[in-house]
Amino acid sequence: MRSINVRDYGILPGEGRDNVFALRSLLDEIRPEDGIELVFPEGIYHFFEENAAEILLFIPNHDEDGIKKVAFDLTGMKHLTITGNHSTFQFHTELIPFLIRDCDTVEIRGISLDYVRPGYSQGVILSCSPMSMTIQVDPKEFPYFVKGRRLYFVGENYCHELVRWMELDKDFQKPVYGLVDRTFNLEDAGEAALWSEIEPGVLKVELMEGERPFEEDSKPGDYLILRHHPRSAPAFYAENSTRISLTDVDIYHATGMGVIAQRTEDMVLCRVRIMRHPIKKHVFSAEADGLHFVSCKGMIRIKDCLIENQLDDPINIHGVYGKIVKVMENGSFFVRLVHHQQKGAILLKDGEPFRLLDPETMLPVAESAAVHVKRLNRDVLLVEPRDILPSVKEGWALENMEWIPDVLIEGCTMRNNRARGILPTSAGEVVIRNNVFQVPGAGVLIEGDCRSWFESGAVKHIQILDNLFDCCAYIPNWGYAPIQISPGTSRYVEGKAYHGTVEIRKNTFRCMDKRLLFAKNVETILWKDNIIEHADTYPPNDGEAFTLEHVLNVKR
Amino acid sequence: MRSINVRDYGILPGEGRDNVFALRSLLDEIRPEDGIELVFPEGIYHFFEENAAEILLFIPNHDEDGIKKVAFDLTGMKHLTITGNHSTFQFHTELIPFLIRDCDTVEIRGISLDYVRPGYSQGVILSCSPMSMTIQVDPKEFPYFVKGRRLYFVGENYCHELVRWMELDKDFQKPVYGLVDRTFNLEDAGEAALWSEIEPGVLKVELMEGERPFEEDSKPGDYLILRHHPRSAPAFYAENSTRISLTDVDIYHATGMGVIAQRTEDMVLCRVRIMRHPIKKHVFSAEADGLHFVSCKGMIRIKDCLIENQLDDPINIHGVYGKIVKVMENGSFFVRLVHHQQKGAILLKDGEPFRLLDPETMLPVAESAAVHVKRLNRDVLLVEPRDILPSVKEGWALENMEWIPDVLIEGCTMRNNRARGILPTSAGEVVIRNNVFQVPGAGVLIEGDCRSWFESGAVKHIQILDNLFDCCAYIPNWGYAPIQISPGTSRYVEGKAYHGTVEIRKNTFRCMDKRLLFAKNVETILWKDNIIEHADTYPPNDGEAFTLEHVLNVKR
């Protein structure tokens, strides 16, 4: 392995110094080589978007598809190691820090990663009444202006209206009991509100007449994460790659998820920390999920990670359900990607096995493989099946049966984020052990549906062992219980269930109420050796300890 | 030439029948062939976006770059004729009707083209006062809703807030004397306004306190073109092609320009009519310019065209100025495309000649050719020049000297549109003869600047002959006189001028005031045998017959 000191290529630390062109030239030079280590001597390196590579990407579960600028475009790299020596990489929007595409064996270690001006802003509540609030925002760190009674935030190269916020508790910086997100002034959601600046750094929002008032649980002193940026650019995006590892990587911010991988085989994430910046006193980290895996295979190993204060689930692993929209006379059929954030996802390729599901029961009704898949556009595929499938119906769901990972998540802490904990919908062997869940929704949520999110698939065997569920599901909109299994079916079939076996053993549940497990449509649940403790952290929510519906076997 | 009846390929007329997949299959089949005529028997054919080809495009002078869906993707076609037999092609947003890319000898004739739900809407003013108006909008033809006192219009697959309107005279459907566009609620422009629906089909807009009031020239009965859609998709986009002709083509609507060509050689547009729909009673046609040519060469011939009621200039021909932003030690330099609608434009390729201009005088200071051009992204190119150019300075403008067309525009009528008439900034031989200009701004505007639009270039020889300028420039914001020459320089050089020779002969000027010619920074103006008539159509505007500044020679 050849080792390169990046400073020999003009990549140098320094405020205001843009390293993108030098980095890009270096990456282009080494791209054909196999076995390179890029060494960054410790320092703070800046990367601007001006000269960055621009690549057409369809990043699943993100808001926007299209051309994106990328700092570290690692496309096509083989046996590459990037050694950061605790360097800080400072990115400037709009820029995807790392694209790992068509790679084999890439390791990135020892860096921390931040944006000079994040895509979100924050404020503190000064006063609240049912129909108005005043909030304090630092206009130097989070520049804004009010025009036409609309509030806009300004970044290095963006200007967006405020459309959403989430309130965090002033003492612990976690979502407040009794609240969920607030949305403002969207065409299809949210309260109509008018903004004004009553003095520099003090903003007033007034809800229009007839709008839903602010809740009593909102309190002066609480933080607001002000959400005004699209979910555009993850810190790391891996696609169509093999053997990718991130070690000792701190992600303080991303204008998207922390790490997202699609169609990637064998990933190791060790001591990846998606966390609040230790000096900046931000109450948010990434704009969306922490770690997200779509249609991966091999082994996903997530070890000793910290995922806190990001604006959506810490870990989500799933495939994608396509929807058959038209069957042709020759037996080929058109399949549509339905959810707007899945447009362009790689659902199926030539030769890959698939199965079809009845969307009401989500039980398999046929299986075959694709002889040929033609991608018509990011919405629609035309699939020629290997077998004659005479009964194929419009409306059925299609699921790829090759890209299914095994998963091991251990030693991780998830806390203070929006929404849930781990969403492990994979038909591989899944082990979730020795983690700490301090999240407002379900700690583990096992779903799968083909009517809203279109995230597959059915769990075969999942083990939830030795974890601490610490006051989870205190915001019931995000979870009925610390562990929730709730696939989106509309009908059950006697003797059959969507999910397979879920073992829940030796976990500790610290709970403020009775709720432990909410489970529907599961073949077997094993509940054994779990410890239940009482906590007074939040007021109790209603619900039984065990809510079970169409669970075929319960073992205790 | 092999002739194909498209009905043999399942492309059939009929309401609700989507022909895109059959068309796409047919085009893919014939793409390798040389010499095909596609015959559409007369009928109304529909094209939806669901199964359309999706292509990454950077369309100059349009709002959005990125992946666009295309109905007729003619990429790579050689000697193709599409014969419409007066068929109507009905498109459904978002869809570019025709992409003519990397083509040689393509002719399209005998079609009319429309959208089922256009990107714009229209209304009629019911009442006006300084701070509010009520307007009538047909909610069936132009569906809308008011939410949070914001007005949204809904299309087949879009929902956009109203941000702009233009008022048209109730009798003649042309822009109203005394007015220009009105913009609402944008973050960087426009009046703050609140909307309400006071009864079905009747909307009220109220300007917020302190905003600029509505003008007295606004009148009940006048039409409003309600602009709520990005300039996203021209009816025809030609790129990197040769010998393209459109004959007998009627364009009733496009969510962008009528026809735009970039880097295309030899085009003939004959009896292309960008016009109001004869039955629908729309007061608008295309969302933006009629015909637009960026960095073309060979001959552009525009004959017997009608261009009316579109939302920007009827004909605009220009190149692009890039801006040198950094010079490297080895003499290579970075060139940025500055205007946001020019991002991704093809400025310069390997081997092509260029010249550099001082941005203050816009006079050439150096010339050379590119040995190698590396496109870093849609913003920036890295140019390696053939010659050592020791004095190259950051801030200089770069202009391509190969892609410069000759132009003949004759027999055309331009009327009732927003803005100006013809913008012929080309250093080729340009002839504008026998046209009728009934436009609110300058009939002919010759500019060029490298500080705002960055549209090149300097005119060498232009003849304006036998035209009728019928009450042009009645809205002075869009023109100081029927003919205006006003390059955007900030300093003159004694004895040198930016534009070359402009001959103005045998034209008829029907004018409501004295203004005929406004000219700055021209080497030679020839003014001969022009007829001036008086008209009372509009109140007079201030100004002399001839306003000349830094015109080196005047011949009469």
Side-chain angles (χ1 to χ4, degrees):
Chain A
M1 179 167 270
R2 184 160 80 96
S3 186
I4 292 173
N5 183 330
V6 299
R7 297 199 182 178
D8 298 339
Y9 283 75
I11 298 169
L12 298 169
E15 191 75 29
R17 180 187 173 89
D18 181 9
N19 285 296
V20 161
F21 184 72
L23 171 66
R24 190 172 170 180
S25 305
L26 169 57
L27 293 174
D28 284 345
E29 186 183 317
I30 65 168
R31 206 176 305 278
E33 285 189 57
D34 194 320
I36 294 280
E37 184 189 19
L38 292 183
V39 180
F40 285 77
E42 188 173 357
I44 301 174
Y45 298 84
H46 281 259
F47 303 93
F48 291 77
E49 54 87 45
E50 172 88 2
N51 296 323
E54 202 169 52
I55 298 169
L56 179 61
L57 296 172
F58 299 86
I59 306 178
N61 294 78
H62 279 67
D63 280 340
E64 302 171 319
D65 297 321
I67 39 174
K68 307 260 178 173
K69 287 185 172 173
V70 177
F72 285 77
D73 170 20
L74 306 184
T75 302
M77 296 290 190
K78 310 259 177 278
H79 300 96
L80 172 73
T81 298
I82 295 176
T83 304
N85 294 301
H86 310 292
S87 288
T88 297
F89 290 177
Q90 285 281 8
F91 296 92
H92 297 255
T93 59
E94 300 282 338
L95 201 51
I96 295 179
F98 286 88
L99 172 64
I100 301 162
R101 189 173 57 151
D102 307 328
C103 288
D104 182 356
T105 316
V106 167
E107 183 177 358
I108 298 167
R109 58 182 190 217
I111 60 167
S112 68
L113 182 162
D114 195 18
Y115 282 80
V116 170
R117 164 64 168 115
Y120 282 176
S121 303
Q122 69 184 46
V124 174
I125 298 178
L126 295 177
S127 69
C128 17
S129 71
M131 297 305 279
S132 81
M133 275 202 202
T134 55
I135 66 174
Q136 188 160 40
V137 176
D138 179 349
K140 268 209 266 195
E141 188 172 8
F142 305 111
Y144 65 81
F145 64 91
V146 175
K147 180 175 175 298
R149 306 215 55 193
R150 301 182 183 199
L151 174 60
Y152 300 92
F153 282 88
V154 177
E156 290 185 280
N157 48 20
Y158 69 75
C159 173
H160 297 299
E161 195 179 351
L162 180 79
V163 292
R164 212 174 265 117
W165 79 32
M166 189 173 75
E167 186 172 330
L168 297 187
D169 174 86
K170 69 171 185 284
D171 299 314
F172 306 104
Q173 290 92 58
K174 55 188 178 184
V176 173
Y177 178 89
L179 301 179
V180 282
D181 321 69
R182 267 275 169 179
T183 306
F184 299 101
N185 294 319
L186 289 180
E187 75 272 20
D188 57 353
E191 272 65 60
L194 296 174
W195 288 87
S196 48
E197 189 188 40
I198 55 178
E199 62 182 86
V202 179
L203 294 162
K204 183 175 186 181
V205 57
E206 293 166 89
L207 299 177
M208 288 193 201
E209 207 184 312
E211 297 292 330
R212 185 170 62 91
F214 291 117
E215 284 82 358
E216 282 182 15
D217 294 291
S218 283
K219 283 179 294 292
D222 279 358
Y223 292 97
L224 294 173
I225 301 176
L226 303 170
R227 305 176 67 181
H228 49 72
H229 194 277
R231 185 192 281 205
S232 56
F236 292 85
Y237 178 45
E239 183 183 286
N240 195 35
S241 295
T242 308
R243 284 178 294 276
I244 305 305
S245 78
L246 307 181
T247 307
D248 294 318
V249 170
D250 291 349
I251 300 170
Y252 298 128
H253 184 62
T255 64
M257 297 180 179
V259 179
I260 173 159
Q262 181 182 207
R263 301 275 286 203
T264 290
E265 183 173 356
D266 294 331
M267 290 192 75
V268 181
L269 281 76
C270 187
R271 294 187 301 279
V272 172
R273 303 193 300 172
I274 297 167
M275 62 190 287
R276 286 177 289 170
H277 194 284
I279 296 164
K280 285 184 172 179
K281 304 215 178 295
H282 287 174
V283 295
F284 58 88
S285 61
E287 278 191 12
D289 303 27
L291 314 175
H292 200 114
F293 305 83
V294 182
S295 306
C296 289
K297 70 178 183 185
M299 183 71 174
I300 297 171
R301 188 169 172 186
I302 301 168
K303 192 170 179 334
D304 299 335
C305 294
L306 168 66
I307 310 167
E308 66 172 13
N309 288 76
Q310 81 287 359
L311 271 294
D312 226 330
D313 307 313
I315 302 174
N316 189 346
I317 299 162
H318 62 89
V320 171
Y321 286 125
K323 182 180 177 180
I324 294 178
V325 288
K326 193 178 173 191
V327 183
M328 297 182 79
E329 279 177 26
N330 65 3
S332 291
F333 44 80
F334 293 86
V335 181
R336 190 190 292 159
L337 293 161
V338 183
H339 190 270
H340 71 99
Q341 289 179 328
Q342 281 165 0
K343 299 298 184 182
I346 307 164
L347 179 62
L348 192 67
K349 288 192 171 177
D350 293 3
E352 291 180 347
F354 64 82
R355 68 180 187 184
L356 303 180
L357 285 73
D358 178 322
E360 292 190 4
T361 63
M362 288 190 10
L363 295 174
V365 283
E367 53 181 74
S368 182
V371 174
H372 182 60
V373 180
K374 182 178 166 69
R375 183 187 185 279
L376 296 185
N377 50 47
R378 62 182 164 167
D379 298 304
V380 180
L381 308 173
L382 178 56
V383 177
E384 182 192 335
R386 185 190 59 201
D387 308 292
I388 295 162
L389 301 168
S391 62
V392 175
K393 285 195 184 67
E394 289 168 20
W396 280 8
L398 181 145
E399 177 183 16
N400 189 312
M401 294 308 287
E402 178 169 331
W403 288 85
I404 293 170
D406 297 322
V407 179
L408 171 59
I409 302 169
E410 58 178 344
C412 298
T413 296
M414 290 147 274
R415 65 187 179 202
N416 305 346
N417 54 281
R418 183 189 182 281
R420 292 74 56 105
I422 298 175
L423 283 70
T425 40
S426 175
E429 275 293 328
V430 178
V431 177
I432 296 171
R433 71 178 175 213
N434 203 25
N435 304 288
V436 175
F437 297 90
Q438 293 168 321
V439 299
V444 174
L445 174 64
I446 305 173
E447 289 206 298
D449 80 277
C450 48
R451 62 190 181 192
S452 159
W453 292 99
F454 286 81
E455 295 183 357
S456 65
V459 158
K460 203 175 69 184
H461 184 212
I462 176 165
Q463 299 179 65
I464 301 171
L465 311 171
D466 289 310
N467 302 285
L468 169 62
F469 292 89
D470 186 5
C471 300
C472 294
Y474 68 87
I475 298 182
N477 281 41
W478 293 329
Y480 304 144
I483 297 177
Q484 175 179 335
I485 307 167
S486 52
T489 57
S490 54
R491 191 159 59 80
Y492 299 131
V493 172
E494 183 69 27
K496 290 184 179 175
Y498 176 70
H499 286 302
T501 298
V502 180
E503 291 185 36
I504 304 166
R505 290 192 286 120
K506 295 164 72 182
N507 302 283
T508 299
F509 291 85
R510 296 189 64 230
C511 299
M512 50 282 171
D513 49 43
K514 288 193 280 184
R515 300 167 307 148
L516 295 169
L517 172 66
F518 179 101
K520 299 200 301 188
N521 210 351
V522 189
E523 203 172 283
T524 301
I525 284 182
L526 177 83
W527 177 277
K528 215 167 172 185
D529 302 330
N530 296 294
I531 298 163
I532 291 99
E533 298 175 356
H534 184 72
D536 286 324
T537 316
Y538 305 101
N541 281 296
D542 288 342
E544 295 307 310
F546 297 91
T547 302
L548 305 181
E549 189 179 302
H550 197 68
V551 176
L552 307 191
N553 309 290
V554 179
K555 298 182 182 171
R556 300 195 61 157
Chain B
M1 180 166 270
R2 183 158 81 93
S3 185
I4 292 172
N5 183 329
V6 299
R7 297 198 183 179
D8 298 339
Y9 283 75
I11 298 169
L12 297 168
E15 192 75 30
R17 181 188 172 89
D18 181 10
N19 285 297
V20 160
F21 184 72
L23 171 67
R24 191 173 170 177
S25 305
L26 169 57
L27 292 174
D28 284 345
E29 186 183 317
I30 66 168
R31 207 177 303 280
E33 285 190 56
D34 194 320
I36 294 281
E37 183 189 18
L38 292 184
V39 179
F40 284 77
E42 188 174 357
I44 301 174
Y45 299 84
H46 282 259
F47 303 93
F48 292 77
E49 54 87 45
E50 172 89 2
N51 296 324
E54 200 168 53
I55 297 169
L56 179 60
L57 295 173
F58 300 87
I59 307 178
N61 295 78
H62 279 68
D63 281 339
E64 300 172 321
D65 297 320
I67 38 174
K68 307 260 178 174
K69 286 185 172 172
V70 177
F72 285 79
D73 170 20
L74 306 184
T75 301
M77 295 289 189
K78 310 259 179 276
H79 299 96
L80 172 73
T81 298
I82 295 176
T83 304
N85 294 302
H86 311 291
S87 287
T88 297
F89 290 177
Q90 286 280 9
F91 296 92
H92 298 255
T93 59
E94 299 283 338
L95 200 51
I96 294 179
F98 286 89
L99 172 65
I100 302 162
R101 188 173 58 151
D102 307 329
C103 288
D104 182 357
T105 314
V106 168
E107 183 177 358
I108 297 167
R109 58 182 189 217
I111 62 167
S112 68
L113 183 161
D114 196 17
Y115 282 80
V116 169
R117 165 64 168 115
Y120 283 176
S121 302
Q122 69 184 46
V124 174
I125 298 177
L126 294 176
S127 69
C128 14
S129 70
M131 297 305 280
S132 81
M133 275 202 202
T134 56
I135 67 174
Q136 188 159 41
V137 176
D138 180 349
K140 268 209 264 192
E141 189 171 8
F142 306 111
Y144 65 80
F145 64 91
V146 176
K147 179 174 176 300
R149 305 217 54 194
R150 302 182 182 198
L151 173 60
Y152 300 90
F153 282 88
V154 176
E156 290 184 280
N157 47 19
Y158 69 76
C159 174
H160 296 301
E161 195 178 352
L162 181 78
V163 290
R164 211 174 265 118
W165 79 33
M166 189 173 74
E167 186 171 331
L168 297 187
D169 174 86
K170 68 170 184 283
D171 298 315
F172 305 104
Q173 289 92 60
K174 55 189 178 184
V176 173
Y177 178 90
L179 301 179
V180 283
D181 320 69
R182 268 276 169 178
T183 306
F184 299 100
N185 294 319
L186 288 180
E187 74 271 19
D188 57 352
E191 272 63 61
L194 297 174
W195 288 87
S196 49
E197 188 186 42
I198 55 178
E199 60 182 87
V202 179
L203 294 163
K204 184 175 186 181
V205 56
E206 293 165 90
L207 299 177
M208 288 193 201
E209 206 184 312
E211 297 292 331
R212 183 170 63 92
F214 290 116
E215 284 83 359
E216 283 182 15
D217 294 290
S218 283
K219 283 180 294 293
D222 279 357
Y223 293 97
L224 293 174
I225 302 175
L226 303 169
R227 305 176 67 182
H228 49 71
H229 193 277
R231 186 193 280 206
S232 57
F236 293 85
Y237 177 46
E239 183 183 285
N240 195 33
S241 294
T242 308
R243 285 179 294 276
I244 304 305
S245 79
L246 308 182
T247 307
D248 294 318
V249 169
D250 291 348
I251 300 169
Y252 299 128
H253 185 62
T255 64
M257 297 181 179
V259 179
I260 174 160
Q262 181 183 207
R263 301 275 287 203
T264 288
E265 183 174 356
D266 294 332
M267 290 193 73
V268 181
L269 282 74
C270 187
R271 295 187 300 278
V272 172
R273 304 192 302 170
I274 297 166
M275 62 189 289
R276 287 178 288 170
H277 193 284
I279 295 164
K280 286 183 172 178
K281 304 215 179 295
H282 288 173
V283 296
F284 59 87
S285 60
E287 278 191 12
D289 302 27
L291 314 175
H292 200 115
F293 304 83
V294 182
S295 306
C296 289
K297 69 179 184 184
M299 181 73 175
I300 297 171
R301 187 167 173 188
I302 302 169
K303 192 171 178 336
D304 299 336
C305 293
L306 169 66
I307 309 166
E308 65 172 15
N309 288 75
Q310 82 287 0
L311 270 295
D312 226 329
D313 307 313
I315 302 175
N316 188 348
I317 298 162
H318 63 89
V320 171
Y321 286 125
K323 182 181 177 181
I324 294 179
V325 287
K326 193 178 173 191
V327 183
M328 298 183 79
E329 279 177 26
N330 66 4
S332 291
F333 44 80
F334 293 86
V335 181
R336 189 191 292 160
L337 293 161
V338 183
H339 190 269
H340 71 99
Q341 289 178 328
Q342 281 165 359
K343 299 296 184 184
I346 308 164
L347 180 61
L348 192 68
K349 288 193 172 178
D350 292 3
E352 291 182 345
F354 65 81
R355 68 180 187 184
L356 304 180
L357 284 74
D358 177 323
E360 292 190 3
T361 63
M362 288 191 8
L363 295 174
V365 283
E367 53 181 72
S368 181
V371 174
H372 181 59
V373 179
K374 183 177 165 69
R375 182 188 185 279
L376 296 185
N377 50 47
R378 62 182 164 167
D379 297 305
V380 180
L381 308 173
L382 178 57
V383 177
E384 182 192 335
R386 185 191 58 202
D387 308 292
I388 296 162
L389 301 168
S391 62
V392 174
K393 284 195 185 66
E394 288 168 21
W396 280 7
L398 180 146
E399 178 183 15
N400 189 312
M401 294 307 288
E402 179 170 329
W403 288 85
I404 292 170
D406 297 321
V407 178
L408 171 59
I409 302 170
E410 59 178 344
C412 297
T413 296
M414 289 148 274
R415 64 187 181 203
N416 305 348
N417 54 283
R418 184 188 181 281
R420 292 76 55 105
I422 298 175
L423 283 69
T425 41
S426 174
E429 275 294 328
V430 178
V431 178
I432 297 171
R433 70 180 174 213
N434 204 25
N435 303 288
V436 176
F437 296 90
Q438 294 168 322
V439 299
V444 174
L445 174 66
I446 305 173
E447 289 207 299
D449 81 275
C450 48
R451 61 189 182 194
S452 159
W453 292 99
F454 285 82
E455 294 183 357
S456 65
V459 158
K460 202 175 72 184
H461 185 210
I462 176 165
Q463 300 179 64
I464 302 171
L465 311 172
D466 289 310
N467 301 285
L468 170 61
F469 291 90
D470 187 7
C471 301
C472 294
Y474 67 87
I475 298 181
N477 281 40
W478 292 330
Y480 303 143
I483 297 177
Q484 175 179 335
I485 307 167
S486 53
T489 56
S490 53
R491 192 160 60 79
Y492 299 131
V493 173
E494 184 67 28
K496 290 185 179 173
Y498 176 71
H499 286 302
T501 297
V502 180
E503 291 185 36
I504 304 166
R505 290 192 286 120
K506 295 164 71 180
N507 300 283
T508 299
F509 290 85
R510 296 190 64 229
C511 297
M512 49 282 171
D513 49 43
K514 287 193 282 184
R515 299 167 308 149
L516 295 169
L517 172 66
F518 178 101
K520 300 199 301 188
N521 211 350
V522 188
E523 202 173 283
T524 302
I525 285 182
L526 177 82
W527 177 277
K528 215 168 173 183
D529 302 331
N530 295 295
I531 297 163
I532 291 98
E533 298 174 356
H534 183 72
D536 285 325
T537 316
Y538 306 101
N541 280 297
D542 289 340
E544 296 306 310
F546 297 92
T547 300
L548 305 182
E549 190 180 299
H550 198 66
V551 176
L552 307 191
N553 308 291
V554 178
K555 297 182 184 171
R556 298 195 62 156

